[in-house]
Amino acid sequence: MRMRTGVEQAVYALMILGLLPDRAVLSGEAISSRLGASPTYFQKLLRKLVQSGLVMSVPGAKGGFRLARHAGEIRVYDVYVAVEGQQSLYTSNGLFDSLVVHDEEPGRCMLAQVMEEAEASWQGALKQETVESLKKQIWMDYPNTSGALEEWAQQNSVK
Amino acid sequence: MRMRTGVEQAVYALMILGLLPDRAVLSGEAISSRLGASPTYFQKLLRKLVQSGLVMSVPGAKGGFRLARHAGEIRVYDVYVAVEGQQSLYTSNGLFDSLVVHDEEPGRCMLAQVMEEAEASWQGALKQETVESLKKQIWMDYPNTSGALEEWAQQNSVK
DNA sequence: GTACTTTTACTCGGATACCGTCTGTCCGAGTAATTATGG
DNA sequence: CCATAATTACTCGGACAGACGGTATCCGAGTAAAAGTAC
């Protein structure tokens, strides 16, 4: 049970997109090369972000991607769901029913209840942080080097 | 990112072991057949529980397994760690450093901080529930059928 | 200079391969209780 | 009846095969801007 690298790439990609001027876009290749990620696989991640409504895509020459809504309205949890899906961490395998309940209708797996509460608590933490809040924290901690990233993003954007 | 079936099997196996009389043991084969689990794979799970100190094993004829400590002192979190290891859900891939920080020493990935807080919250929920508390809840909700399980456990135990 | 065509630079989405992890099986070794054997 | 050996029923732990999902690559199709072309 381990979170995959896609979530991290997606979060930082959204942060970069949040640095663009209004209506400007960045190509997938530009972002992936800046992240040091696999270009083709990163395109698939972008597709997921588009289909989840987090980013807008512009096809054709001088096309690219931009945020579909303000960075402050994109929670880390939204990114996680977009990339990994909304399935829960734990899914019961029905052991409980075969152990205890037989003739009655399928009962509630007690372990599932505990797991769901734990996951809800986990999700709650991810819902409190947004791409914007993450960015602000970085800008506060690294004021010197973070400016270079913003400059790069605006220079590589089009429109 | 999805929890595996091993945790569920382990939790209910520990619950069964918690029904045994003092100093009595159950063979791995007996437990796995009651759970409807793969016997050989379940043996591997039992090994992990033994190595984590949750279960005691008795080799030789009429051997088997029993709890190493009281069911009330075995948290769901302990079972999870025993089966899946203590690695965290999220591990940074260093994207942050290549994005923002260059010449300075490696900085703290802001996303990792959020993820760790979320995971700590998740673990907290799993630490509040024990095998004993789960059992009590089941016994309260299914007083009729749960007795049969206890009877079965004691009949199949040895010593 | 305008209308049309071609080229170019992107996104879109499916097919596919790779690889690590979880699941599952097999087998030989170790251990202790039981049974068999010899005196 | 007692001591010893063989059998039995377990755990122990490594090797290994299969399944599955995340990662990664490739390719053809769609789309729109830019460049080229004809009149």
Side-chain angles (χ1 to χ4, degrees):
Chain A
M1 186 182 182
R2 200 170 163 189
M3 189 177 295
R4 305 300 169 173
T5 71
V7 178
E8 182 174 356
Q9 292 181 13
V11 168
Y12 286 121
L14 290 168
M15 188 177 300
I16 291 178
L17 289 178
L19 304 175
L20 298 181
D22 205 28
R23 314 297 292 175
V25 297
L26 263 179
S27 75
E29 204 285 332
I31 309 176
S32 65
S33 71
R34 189 67 166 87
L35 290 175
S38 154
T40 55
Y41 177 62
F42 183 72
Q43 288 278 356
K44 296 205 167 303
L45 284 180
L46 280 171
R47 292 292 312 131
K48 291 183 179 179
L49 298 180
V50 170
Q51 290 169 347
S52 299
L54 302 184
V55 309
M56 297 274 296
S57 67
V58 178
K62 303 221 170 184
F65 301 88
R66 67 166 177 266
L67 293 187
R69 54 182 193 253
H70 190 267
E73 294 166 344
I74 300 178
R75 302 171 297 182
V76 175
Y77 173 73
D78 299 324
V79 184
Y80 169 78
V81 170
V83 174
E84 302 227 359
Q86 49 197 345
Q87 58 181 356
S88 59
L89 300 185
Y90 173 81
T91 53
S92 170
N93 295 99
L95 275 187
F96 175 74
D97 290 334
S98 61
L99 256 190
V100 176
V101 182
H102 284 288
D103 32 349
E104 313 170 14
E105 63 187 36
R108 188 97 190 82
C109 171
M110 291 301 148
L111 183 58
Q113 188 173 326
V114 174
M115 290 297 185
E116 282 171 11
E117 288 174 7
E119 183 170 355
S121 173
W122 178 77
Q123 290 181 357
L126 297 188
K127 287 175 181 172
Q128 287 180 349
E129 211 76 21
T130 68
V131 173
E132 174 78 9
S133 68
L134 273 179
K135 178 219 162 194
K136 280 184 178 172
Q137 190 129 15
I138 294 177
W139 257 241
M140 193 179 308
D141 291 2
Y142 303 93
N144 304 325
T145 49
S146 58
L149 178 61
E150 191 161 10
E151 197 173 329
W152 172 90
Q154 296 181 0
Q155 286 181 353
N156 286 77
S157 66
V158 281
K159 266 189 188 172
Chain B
M1 185 181 180
R2 200 170 162 188
M3 189 177 296
R4 306 299 171 176
T5 70
V7 177
E8 182 174 356
Q9 291 181 14
V11 168
Y12 286 121
L14 290 169
M15 188 177 300
I16 290 178
L17 289 178
L19 303 175
L20 297 181
D22 205 29
R23 315 296 293 175
V25 297
L26 263 179
S27 75
E29 204 284 333
I31 309 176
S32 64
S33 71
R34 189 68 166 91
L35 290 175
S38 155
T40 55
Y41 178 63
F42 182 73
Q43 289 278 355
K44 296 203 166 303
L45 285 180
L46 280 172
R47 293 292 312 130
K48 291 182 179 180
L49 299 180
V50 169
Q51 289 168 347
S52 299
L54 304 183
V55 163
M56 296 276 296
S57 65
V58 178
K62 302 220 171 186
F65 302 88
R66 67 167 177 265
L67 293 187
R69 55 181 192 254
H70 190 266
E73 294 166 345
I74 300 178
R75 302 171 297 181
V76 175
Y77 172 74
D78 299 324
V79 183
Y80 169 77
V81 170
V83 174
E84 302 226 359
Q86 50 197 345
Q87 58 182 357
S88 59
L89 300 184
Y90 173 81
T91 53
S92 170
N93 294 97
L95 275 188
F96 176 74
D97 290 334
S98 60
L99 257 190
V100 176
V101 182
H102 285 288
D103 32 349
E104 314 170 12
E105 62 186 34
R108 188 94 190 86
C109 172
M110 291 302 146
L111 183 57
Q113 188 173 326
V114 174
M115 290 297 184
E116 283 170 11
E117 287 174 8
E119 183 170 355
S121 173
W122 178 77
Q123 290 181 359
L126 297 188
K127 286 175 182 172
Q128 288 180 349
E129 213 76 20
T130 68
V131 173
E132 174 79 9
S133 68
L134 272 179
K135 178 218 162 195
K136 279 184 178 171
Q137 190 127 16
I138 292 177
W139 257 241
M140 193 179 309
D141 290 2
Y142 302 93
N144 304 326
T145 49
S146 56
L149 178 61
E150 192 161 8
E151 197 173 329
W152 172 91
Q154 296 181 358
Q155 286 180 352
N156 286 77
S157 66
V158 279
K159 264 190 187 169

